Amino acid sequence: MIRTDAWYEKKMGMLWTIRKSLLEILIHIQFDHIDLATLKLKSFVGRYKKYLLNVKENRVIDFAKLVEKYLLNPAVIQGKSFRAAVQTLAEDKENKDLFIMGFIAWLKALSVSQSPYQVLLNLIKENSW
């Protein structure tokens, strides 16, 4: 991906660009590029927060806040409030899309010490797909 987000917004659309940006942040976290992930997350929130609020996509902002909490303090994933917040996202009816569940599974996998794939399969089973 060599183009700017503005280019992708015009050619691929806002939703596609938002998903690309979130995936990029998660990839940096997976490769332990924490400083870069933090920088990209702050840029993401600054660029898309107003748009997300306008289209009533608060769940994306909630997800970004949880990722930010993890980046600032990785030990937070063991806390009850963090786990409860992730579980709330997982149980939200709006988040029953498989692609969205993949993001939530990644976050939940951090606190349950399983692979995101296994967590995603468990989320699918829990939701009776």
Side-chain angles (χ1 to χ4, degrees), residues 2-15:
I2 59 172
R3 307 274 185 181
T4 65
D5 282 351
W7 186 89
Y8 288 116
E9 286 171 17
K10 288 179 186 174
K11 297 294 182 182
M12 305 299 291
M14 189 67 80
L15 177 62

Side-chain angles (χ1 to χ4, degrees), residues 69-103:
K69 283 182 183 180
Y70 169 70
L71 287 172
L72 295 175
N73 179 14
V76 76
I77 61 172
Q78 300 305 322
K80 289 181 182 180
S81 64
F82 185 86
R83 287 181 180 205
V86 173
Q87 190 61 35
T88 299
L89 277 177
E91 293 171 354
D92 189 341
K93 289 181 182 179
E94 285 186 311
N95 296 335
K96 300 306 178 192
D97 176 85
L98 190 58
F99 190 80
I100 294 167
M101 288 178 74
F103 284 102

